[in-house]
């Protein structure tokens, strides 16, 4: 603690000159408000202003509206927590949330698995034209979601290519109007989501794999590890940060998913593909119930944040930072990781 | 070894130490933003003031002199992009007659227009003249917030209250609170009308030895014949959930008094959707769906795709409305109404902003839309005018459609659309019909769900 106190009194200029001592603890603790430097704030001011106006302010407005019955035009009437009660008691919304949870599997779990599989395969097998494959597999991620929706609407149509293939291989009895059938609509939209997201996951994982020291693979192979063992013992643990990021992105995408559904089924047939964000749109823009839409949007945001925090905690737990027996066991892995990340012998970042 | 471990520790721990602090920071930022946005926590919308009441009353048709007195002025308009062909012929003539006026139109797709026009109208510089949409979500909101000018004086001055188009003004009439329509002050005018009915493929019917259906019972006799011949009887694309509601309303209008339907749509007290006529219509829909008259996979096909397929020759019938006609070859397809008239409505009405500073020019523009000349141009561009006197059709499909419209208006069966009755009615009814047609809900449960939505909408007013 004694090394900390002086740091508070030092300005940034002084700190820059101070090269002889390990600086990280200082910088970390000096992030408290007391050492907030106005000149450094100036550098982030434009970004901060942008963030404030286009992110924080709208969130604030949503929170404010969520306590009123407001049509966007005439003076709103305060309703207390009524809008929130409505969100939690509406049976249609509960059904929509269940649909979202099922979509989590298709939008997050599947893309990450497929991405891992592809990345693992691509890193081990020498593929000619790898760049091309990588680019092509990434394309779904760059396409506008409206384009994706229209394309898949045609692919999955009663007389579309998917059914044509099924019929060609003698599976014609399974052919159906995929998006128009009460039982297949939701999984079909899920598959579209998988198709959109797996490219992103794969590219993330490939970049992670590149950073793995090849010598660890050699060592593993010398020890007689096969492809599967190599994948689970080296690739998978090393990719934990990338998996965490991929999950955060895909989970967010899954829970706030709107455009794909709006442009394929509009929540139908019946209510079989409704999701919460669909109701946010309908309440805000069709029903002019901005209060209820805001409340639902806030709840949805909190749910997404909670899930993301849970994902982060789950995947960060083993970073070798805990004290006690767990840490000792895991420190080894942390050690492995730091070796993987930086060639041994190179000095700690300073 | 030691150095590595220390590095690992110092490299990671700060993140953990920082996490809760960051969370608090984020929470504080959101709270701050909420406080800023809340601005003393007055109710939202409190700062806005309506600017109605500054308009002068129109007693004589607007003269070129009155418009010229505005000086060089831009008439700012928002319109559905479907109006573009009509505007292309109306605007140049208007600008020639009133040289000091420049017309500036922002076109939007129907969905975009409906979603944004109310916000545009409530902004500080609203468009002078814009299209709304009948029902509570758009027109009702505009009237309630006093954003549009009443047009009773204009209608009386220009003679809209007499002649063929007079009854088409009803859906643009509202009570002053914006809570019920069909009666009351006039707030909008649409020069375009719509009629629902059934399109048929002439060649296909002829090859099966069938005459164009004149009534619902004709159609019910023909459907199995077409089906047995291995052709799809009715082309339907219902993924947008609204196409089937049009078929339903055609069937429902044959089963009951059109006035009762219109009253229910307008929100008249003590009316109900749970009638035997509506249940029967829903049962017919389910029956047709079960018998395969709509083909399979209609819930996965969009209405746009369905009309394109019908235009290419698949399907013997297409139940829709005059707005679909522009996409069909007038030589190959015919149109008929199922009832003595057929259901229908007016298209999105035009409104004059209460805050407009170019009201005389806006009035003159509306008047120019409500003329036989404009009516002819409307028909020429593939739609139906409300002013039908002296308007001549160019082909048999147009004259059939125009004929159906005239009979509809005369018979009083222009009931409007069900989804006008509540802002979320299209979703409830469209989704509900999908369930009925798939045999997942009974027609009684369907009409009850629709009535519940209607009742909730009334209670929240």
């Amino acid at each position: 603690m004694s090394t900390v106190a002086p740091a508070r009194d030092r300005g940034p200029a002084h700190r820059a000159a101070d090269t002889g001592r390990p600086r990280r603890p200082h910088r970390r603790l000096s992030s408290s408000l007391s050492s907030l430097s106005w000149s450094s704030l100036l550098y982030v001011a434009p970004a901060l202003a942008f963030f404030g106006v286009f992110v924080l302010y709208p969130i604030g407005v949503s929170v404010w509206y969520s306590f009123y019955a407001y049509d966007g035009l005439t003076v709103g009437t305060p309703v207390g927590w009524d809008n929130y009660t409505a969100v939690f008691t509406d049976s249609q919304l509960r059904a929509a949330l269940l649909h979202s949870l099922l979509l989590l599997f298709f939008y997050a779990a599947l893309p990450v698995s497929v991405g891992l599989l592809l990345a693992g395969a691509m890193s081990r097998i020498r593929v000619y034209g790898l760049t091309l494959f990588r680019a092509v597999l990434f394309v779904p991620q760059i396409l506008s979601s409206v384009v994706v929706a229209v394309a898949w609407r045609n692919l999955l149509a009663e007389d579309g290519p998917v059914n044509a293939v099924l019929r060609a291989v003698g599976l014609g009895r399974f052919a159906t109007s995929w998006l128009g059938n009460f039982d297949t609509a939701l999984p079909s939209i899920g598959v579209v989501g998988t198709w959109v997201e797996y490219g992103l996951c794969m590219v993330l994982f490939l970049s992670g794999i590149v950073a793995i020291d090849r010598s660890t693979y050699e060592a593993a192979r010398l020890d007689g590890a096969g492809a599967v063992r190599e994948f689970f013992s080296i690739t998978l643990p090393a990719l934990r940060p990338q998996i965490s990021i991929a999950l955060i992105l895909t989970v967010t995408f899954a829970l706030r998913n709107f455009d794909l559904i709006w442009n394929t089924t509009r929540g139908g047939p019946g209510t079989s593909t409704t999701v919460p964000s669909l109701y946010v749109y309908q309440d805000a823009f069709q029903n002019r119930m901005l209060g209820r839409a805001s409340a639902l949007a806030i709840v949805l945001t909190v749910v997404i944040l909670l899930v993301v925090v849970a994902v982060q905690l789950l995947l960060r737990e083993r970073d070798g930072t805990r004290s006690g027996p767990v840490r000792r066991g895991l420190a080894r892995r942390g050690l492995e990781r730091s070796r993987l990340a930086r060639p041994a012998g190179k000095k700690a970042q300073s | 070894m030691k150095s590595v471990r220390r590095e690992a520790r110092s490299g990671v721990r700060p993140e953990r130490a920082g996490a809760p602090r960051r969370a608090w920071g984020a929470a504080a930022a959101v709270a701050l933003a909420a406080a800023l946005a809340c601005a003393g926590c007055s109710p939202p919308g409190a700062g806005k003031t309506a600017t109605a009441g500054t308009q002068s009353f129109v007693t004589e048709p607007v003269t070129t002199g009155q418009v010229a007195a505005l000086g060089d002025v831009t008439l700012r308009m928002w319109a559905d992009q479907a109006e573009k062909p009509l505007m292309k012929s109306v605007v140049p003539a208007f600008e020639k007659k009133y040289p000091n006026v420049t017309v500036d139109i922002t076109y939007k797709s129907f969905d975009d227009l409906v979603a944004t026009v109310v916000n545009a109208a409530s902004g500080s510089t609203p468009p002078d003249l814009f299209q709304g949409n009948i029902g509570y979500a758009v027109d009702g909101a505009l009237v309630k917030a006093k954003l549009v000018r009443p047009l009773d004086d204009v209608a009386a001055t220009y003679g809209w209250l007499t002649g063929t188009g007079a009854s088409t003004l009803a859906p643009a009439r509202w009570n002053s609170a914006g809570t019920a329509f069909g009666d009351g002050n006039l707030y909008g005018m649409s020069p375009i009308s719509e009629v629902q009915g059934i399109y048929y493929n002439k060649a296909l019917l002829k090859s099966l030895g069938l005459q164009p259906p004149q009534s619902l019972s004709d159609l019910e006799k023909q459907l199995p014949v077409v089906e047995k011949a291995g052709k799809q009887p009715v082309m339907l694309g219902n993924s947008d959930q609204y196409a089937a509601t049009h078929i339903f309303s055609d069937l429902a209008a044959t089963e009951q008094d059109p006035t009762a339907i219109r009253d229910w749509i307008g929100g008249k007290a003590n009316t109900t959707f749970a009638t035997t006529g509506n249940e029967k219509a829903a049962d017919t829909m389910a029956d047709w769906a079960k018998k395969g008259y709509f083909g399979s996979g209609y819930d996965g096909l969009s209405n746009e795709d369905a009309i394109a397929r019908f235009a290419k020759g698949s399907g013997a019938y297409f139940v829709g409305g005059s707005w679909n006609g522009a996409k069909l070859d007038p030589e190959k397809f015919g149109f008929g109404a199922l009832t003595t008239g057929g259901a229908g409505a007016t298209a999105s009405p035009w409104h004059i902003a209460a805050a407009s500073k170019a009201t005389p020019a806006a009035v003159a523009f509306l008047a120019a839309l409500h003329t036989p000349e404009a009516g002819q141009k409307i028909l020429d561009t593939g739609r139906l005018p409300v002013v039908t006197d002296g308007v001549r059709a160019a082909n048999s499909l147009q004259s059939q459609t125009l004929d159906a419209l005239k009979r509809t208006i005369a018979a009083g069966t222009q009931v409007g659309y069900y989804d006008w009755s509540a802002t979320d009615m299209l979703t409830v009814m469209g989704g509900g019909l999908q369930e009925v047609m798939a045999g997942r809900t009974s027609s009684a449960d369907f009409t009850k769900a629709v009535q519940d939505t209607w009742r909730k909408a009334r209670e929240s007013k």
Side-chain angles (χ1 to χ4, degrees):
Chain A
M1 219 39 194
S2 58
T3 54
V4 170
R8 287 195 179 160
D9 303 322
R10 294 180 195 169
H14 189 107
R15 214 189 292 154
D18 179 6
T19 49
R21 305 170 75 173
R23 282 180 294 139
R24 280 187 79 79
H26 291 207
R27 196 184 291 168
R28 185 56 53 187
L29 282 154
S30 65
S31 73
S32 63
L33 277 176
S34 59
S35 70
L36 197 73
S37 142
W38 292 103
S39 62
S40 63
L41 249 185
L42 211 59
Y43 289 103
V44 293
L48 209 61
F50 195 85
F51 184 73
V53 171
F54 292 104
V55 179
L56 289 182
Y57 179 74
I59 293 177
V61 168
S62 297
V63 173
W64 177 34
Y65 283 4
S66 68
F67 293 101
Y68 290 86
Y70 181 44
D71 64 1
L73 298 169
T74 50
V75 180
T77 33
V79 292
W81 292 91
D82 280 9
N83 287 327
Y84 288 93
T85 338
V87 166
F88 286 107
T89 52
D90 192 328
S91 60
Q92 281 191 320
L93 274 176
R94 273 204 298 273
L97 202 63
L98 278 182
H99 297 156
S100 271
L101 291 181
L102 183 77
L103 286 182
L104 269 184
F105 170 74
F106 284 102
Y107 280 48
L110 263 187
V112 167
S113 314
V114 173
L116 274 174
L117 204 71
L118 281 174
M122 278 189 175
S123 69
R124 193 173 163 89
I125 309 161
R126 175 116 187 92
V127 186
Y128 287 97
L130 181 67
T131 324
L132 178 77
F133 276 111
R134 225 164 31 196
V136 168
L137 292 176
F138 191 66
V139 161
Q141 185 66 33
I142 354 172
L143 287 179
S144 144
S145 57
V146 178
V147 173
V148 170
V150 172
W152 276 94
R153 219 164 57 196
N154 289 321
L155 286 174
L156 294 170
E158 176 85 11
D159 52 359
V162 170
N163 283 339
V165 169
L166 282 178
R167 290 188 186 108
V169 298
L171 293 171
R173 68 204 150 95
F174 292 114
T176 178
S177 170
W178 294 95
L179 291 168
N181 185 316
F182 280 80
D183 302 318
T184 58
L186 193 60
S188 299
I189 287 178
V191 168
V192 178
T194 309
W195 181 78
V196 170
E197 292 290 292
Y198 81 93
L200 171 81
C201 297
M202 183 197 68
V203 168
L204 271 175
F205 300 152
L206 277 176
S207 71
I209 287 175
V210 168
I212 301 175
D213 191 349
R214 306 308 295 177
S215 61
T216 33
Y217 284 111
E218 277 164 35
R221 270 172 224 178
L222 284 176
D223 285 345
V228 177
R229 183 63 199 265
E230 214 177 278
F231 178 78
F232 283 102
S233 297
I234 301 175
T235 315
L236 201 57
L239 283 181
R240 199 181 292 138
Q242 281 81 12
I243 294 174
S244 170
I245 290 172
L247 276 177
I248 288 168
L249 289 175
T250 52
V251 162
T252 314
F253 178 68
L255 291 176
R256 66 171 174 78
N257 177 37
F258 166 76
D259 34 15
L260 269 183
I261 290 182
W262 186 251
N263 288 302
T264 48
T265 62
R266 301 216 160 185
T271 52
S272 55
T273 56
T274 53
V275 286
S277 51
L278 207 67
Y279 288 106
V280 174
Y281 176 83
Q282 287 178 346
D283 277 345
F285 294 101
Q286 296 182 338
N287 300 340
R288 306 203 69 80
M289 298 167 74
L290 297 189
R292 206 172 78 179
S294 299
L296 178 53
I298 298 285
V299 171
L300 192 60
T301 308
V302 171
V303 168
I304 292 176
L305 278 178
L306 287 179
V307 175
V308 164
V309 165
V311 167
Q312 268 194 315
L313 285 181
L314 275 177
L315 288 172
R316 200 186 263 181
E317 195 72 355
R318 303 174 191 164
D319 264 356
T321 54
R322 282 196 170 177
S323 50
V326 185
R327 178 189 146 196
R328 268 199 297 281
L330 294 167
R332 262 203 335 269
R333 294 201 200 173
L335 189 59
E336 273 171 22
R337 278 198 55 222
S338 49
R339 256 197 208 148
L340 294 174
R342 293 172 211 86
K346 189 175 175 183
K347 272 194 101 180
Q349 181 189 350
S350 60
Chain B
M1 193 62 166
K2 211 174 174 187
S3 72
V4 171
R5 181 173 285 183
R6 195 189 63 200
E7 190 274 336
R9 197 197 289 169
S10 61
V12 178
R13 188 207 266 162
E15 277 185 20
R16 293 182 60 80
R21 196 173 290 171
R22 267 199 313 242
W24 281 116
V30 168
L32 183 72
L36 280 176
C38 169
C41 277
S42 56
K48 288 180 185 166
T49 47
T51 44
T54 56
Q55 303 291 338
S56 57
F57 204 68
V58 176
T59 50
E60 292 289 321
V62 172
T63 62
T64 43
Q66 277 174 295
V67 176
L70 291 169
D72 280 338
V73 68
T74 303
L75 187 65
R76 292 173 59 244
M77 291 167 51
W78 271 36
D80 186 333
Q81 64 191 13
E83 309 291 336
K84 216 171 188 171
L86 173 64
M87 290 301 142
K88 272 189 176 158
S89 64
V90 173
V91 169
F94 183 81
E95 286 181 330
K96 203 175 166 196
K97 190 174 175 190
Y98 305 99
N100 61 317
V101 181
T102 311
V103 177
D104 174 22
I105 309 182
T106 304
Y107 293 103
K108 301 234 160 191
S109 75
F110 177 75
D111 283 349
D112 277 352
L113 181 79
V114 170
T116 55
V117 74
V118 179
N119 290 344
S122 70
S124 53
T125 51
D128 300 292
L129 192 60
F130 52 89
Q131 283 186 289
N133 192 36
I134 297 167
Y136 296 97
V138 180
D139 281 4
L142 290 170
V143 171
K144 192 178 172 193
K146 299 188 177 12
L147 294 170
V148 291
R149 181 193 190 281
L151 296 176
D152 300 275
D153 54 341
V154 178
T157 305
Y158 284 94
W160 297 350
L161 303 175
T162 54
T164 50
S167 68
T168 63
L169 294 173
R173 293 187 179 280
W174 285 85
N175 65 2
S176 56
T179 53
F181 65 95
D183 250 329
N185 289 336
L186 183 70
Y187 286 95
M189 188 280 287
S190 168
I192 294 178
S193 196
E194 290 169 353
V195 63
Q196 274 179 225
I198 185 162
Y199 287 96
Y200 50 86
N201 183 326
K202 288 182 188 172
L204 189 56
L205 288 197
K206 201 173 175 190
S207 73
L208 297 171
L210 298 172
Q211 292 295 316
Q214 299 296 322
S215 65
L216 183 58
S217 60
D218 280 359
L219 183 66
E220 287 193 296
K221 278 180 210 127
Q222 294 184 359
L223 290 171
V225 181
V226 182
E227 216 265 323
K228 281 210 180 69
K231 305 282 180 191
Q232 180 170 335
V234 182
M235 177 52 69
L236 171 64
N238 199 32
S239 70
D240 332 89
Q241 299 191 328
Y242 69 80
T245 66
H246 287 304
I247 305 185
F248 173 83
S249 68
D250 270 347
L251 297 177
T254 63
E255 301 283 356
Q256 52 207 313
D257 181 9
T259 327
I261 301 177
R262 192 163 46 208
D263 284 348
W264 182 81
I265 291 173
K268 196 168 180 181
N270 302 321
T271 55
T272 180
F273 188 77
T275 62
T276 43
N278 284 337
E279 277 178 31
K280 205 173 156 200
D283 283 334
T284 308
M285 294 288 288
D287 183 47
W288 288 7
K290 199 174 161 196
K291 286 178 177 157
Y293 294 165
F294 300 121
S296 55
Y298 48 83
D299 276 340
L301 189 68
S302 77
N303 191 53
E304 283 296 306
D305 293 343
I307 187 82
R309 283 175 195 208
F310 182 67
K312 279 186 194 152
S314 30
Y317 312 100
F318 181 88
V319 184
S322 49
W323 60 93
N324 296 124
K327 297 203 174 84
L328 299 174
D329 184 343
E331 299 303 315
K332 293 180 183 160
F333 297 93
F335 181 82
L338 289 177
T339 61
T340 44
T346 43
S348 301
W350 289 91
H351 302 286
I352 298 178
S356 172
K357 292 185 175 68
T359 307
V363 169
F365 195 92
L366 275 192
L369 287 178
H370 201 278
T371 59
E373 296 79 51
Q376 185 63 52
K377 281 169 188 159
I378 289 168
L379 193 66
D380 293 346
T381 49
R383 309 179 77 195
L384 286 178
V386 294
V387 182
T388 51
D389 304 324
V391 174
R392 292 176 52 165
N395 56 52
S396 64
L397 184 61
Q398 269 187 7
S399 66
Q400 280 176 323
T401 323
L402 194 61
D403 197 42
L405 174 73
K406 284 180 183 170
R407 279 188 290 133
T408 309
I409 293 177
T413 45
Q414 224 189 14
V415 295
Y417 302 123
Y418 288 107
D419 56 272
W420 293 350
S421 60
T423 51
D424 51 350
M425 188 53 83
L426 186 61
T427 317
V428 173
M429 206 168 168
L433 261 183
Q434 285 180 325
E435 306 237 8
V436 169
M437 290 164 73
R440 295 166 64 101
T441 310
S442 72
S443 56
D445 284 346
F446 162 69
T447 56
K448 189 179 166 293
V450 170
Q451 182 61 22
D452 283 347
T453 305
W454 184 91
R455 188 175 41 74
K456 271 184 212 150
R458 303 282 95 67
E459 283 167 1
S460 69
K461 296 284 171 224

